[in-house]
Amino acid sequence: MEYTILNGRMINRPSALVDIEDRGYQFGDGVYEVIRVYNGKMFAAKEHMERFVKSSDSIGIKLPYTLEHITNMLKDLIERNSLRLGIIYMQITRGTAPRNHAFPTHDVTPCLTAYTSEYPIPKTNLTAGVKTILTEDIRWLRCDIKSLNLLGNVLAKQKAEENDCYEAIQHRGEEVTEGSSSNVFIVKNGTVVTHESNHLILKGITKEVILRVCIENNIHAEERTFSIDELKEADEVFLSSTTSEVTPIVVIDGKNVGDGKPGPVTKKIQDLFRKEIEKQCGKL
Ligand code: DCS
């Protein structure tokens, strides 16, 4: 039996049914998190929980449980599903109410759901790197909220798939923002650069860990906007996310990045990131 959390209850996945007038289903009116599980332990759980509150606060959804309670439910979920290596997907919507764009006026209980999936470490991508394609960023101007509205991201990723690429790198005009489900970094002359965490990108938990380990290990890192030209002329490029960890980007729009192989700074950051995982979750 596979367990799922639905509104604070632990139930069998096929029984976890949500009303068709749930506002998440109809409006994408909700927010979510994806949390990595290594050795049966959540990585950066506190950071994910804090971002979950921040996202829900910013759209006026009040979490029906304390963070401690949610964290304990997720730990229980991992245990019941005997998950060792994978992810937890968790989302909260504004709840079920007759369809009307404005928030329901009466008290509606937000709908919290979570489930687990097995997800291996993407070893081939981590060692060989991935191909990417550039695409205009057509999303809204609150990309800092981890919203269920992912149409822009979905269309970008589909374009990548159709072009035999792993990820689409989005840009607003000349300015590179982020991947469809990842943050993007460039390395030039030993300096690591990534977009500052403002309303145009999601403040990735993996991004924050990378920036911290760079500081701790004397790797110069800057958060600032960078252009498509800088991206194309970079010595190294990589992407980061909960599921993709630190993945080298070796091709952009059909052209090699540097010599077309993962570079030394990227590899160093991969090692440092691995050490962070092992510190929190034990030897991999
Ligand atoms: N940017 C976007 C648009 C994302 O969707 C994600 C993560 C990131 C950046 C990286 O953030 P984290 O480092 O916190 O994961 N997307 C999640 C998702 O939807 N699937 O996997 C991770």
Side-chain angles (χ1 to χ4, degrees):
M1 153 150 173
E2 191 190 331
Y3 286 94
T4 302
I5 295 170
L6 174 62
N7 286 327
R9 289 192 308 132
M10 201 66 80
I11 58 176
N12 193 8
R13 181 156 176 176
S15 320
L17 303 175
V18 174
D19 196 282
I20 54 170
E21 278 194 312
D22 181 278
R23 292 178 61 94
Y25 182 59
Q26 291 196 322
F27 297 109
D29 188 359
V31 297
Y32 75 104
E33 275 300 324
V34 179
I35 307 167
R36 237 322 179 174
V37 174
Y38 299 101
N39 293 326
K41 293 199 183 78
M42 284 185 269
F43 177 67
K46 188 166 171 279
E47 290 83 348
H48 282 283
M49 290 300 157
E50 284 170 4
R51 187 171 66 185
F52 193 51
V53 184
K54 211 166 156 246
S55 291
S56 49
D57 272 357
S58 62
I59 62 165
I61 292 179
K62 198 175 168 321
L63 295 182
Y65 311 100
T66 64
L67 280 194
E68 199 191 346
H69 186 71
I70 296 174
T71 308
N72 286 335
M73 282 198 291
L74 296 183
K75 282 183 185 162
D76 192 20
L77 184 67
I78 292 170
E79 208 173 297
R80 287 194 198 215
N81 287 342
S82 309
L83 182 70
R84 299 300 298 164
L85 181 63
I87 55 158
I88 295 176
Y89 177 87
M90 165 169 69
Q91 73 170 41
I92 190 152
T93 73
R94 203 177 303 280
T96 296
R99 188 175 182 280
N100 177 19
H101 286 62
F103 296 178
T105 45
H106 61 287
D107 261 357
V108 168
T109 313
C111 181
L112 179 80
T113 50
Y115 62 86
T116 60
S117 298
E118 292 192 4
Y119 198 102
I121 292 169
K123 287 196 179 120
T124 311
N125 286 352
L126 294 181
T127 44
V130 296
K131 294 198 279 182
T132 60
I133 188 167
L134 281 162
T135 192
E136 183 68 39
D137 193 337
I138 59 165
R139 299 172 303 159
W140 71 332
L141 297 174
R142 288 304 306 274
C143 297
D144 53 318
I145 301 171
K146 204 159 169 55
S147 149
L148 297 180
N149 285 275
L150 290 173
L151 261 187
N153 311 59
V154 165
L155 295 178
K157 188 75 95 189
Q158 182 60 21
K159 182 176 168 188
E161 288 253 346
E162 285 169 6
N163 287 277
D164 191 28
C165 287
Y166 178 73
E167 179 61 303
I169 301 178
Q170 302 174 100
H171 57 91
R172 290 195 192 260
E174 283 306 301
E175 185 181 312
V176 176
T177 51
E178 62 178 344
S180 72
S181 61
S182 60
N183 293 114
V184 175
F185 294 70
I186 59 172
V187 183
K188 187 73 184 176
N189 302 325
T191 293
V192 176
V193 182
T194 190
H195 197 288
E196 68 268 40
S197 293
N198 61 14
H199 62 291
L200 296 179
I201 67 156
L202 183 75
K203 185 174 180 172
I205 306 295
T206 320
K207 170 186 192 255
E208 293 301 303
V209 174
I210 291 168
L211 290 172
R212 176 166 58 75
V213 298
C214 281
I215 293 169
E216 289 168 1
N217 292 277
N218 299 317
I219 299 170
H220 187 238
E222 290 175 3
E223 279 187 280
R224 62 166 174 85
T225 53
F226 59 91
S227 65
I228 294 176
D229 285 347
E230 282 182 279
L231 175 76
K232 288 183 170 165
E233 284 156 20
D235 301 328
E236 301 175 36
V237 182
F238 63 89
L239 61 83
S240 75
S241 83
T242 294
T243 44
S244 303
E245 304 181 355
V246 180
T247 297
I249 292 175
V250 291
V251 171
I252 301 169
D253 275 355
K255 295 203 183 64
N256 278 354
V257 175
D259 61 3
K261 295 197 191 81
V265 179
T266 306
K267 285 191 196 157
K268 172 85 185 153
I269 292 172
Q270 285 182 322
D271 286 347
L272 294 170
F273 187 70
R274 177 74 8 141
K275 286 198 183 112
E276 283 301 306
I277 295 171
E278 294 190 341
K279 253 194 240 169
Q280 286 186 33
C281 305
K283 197 113 191 83
L284 291 177

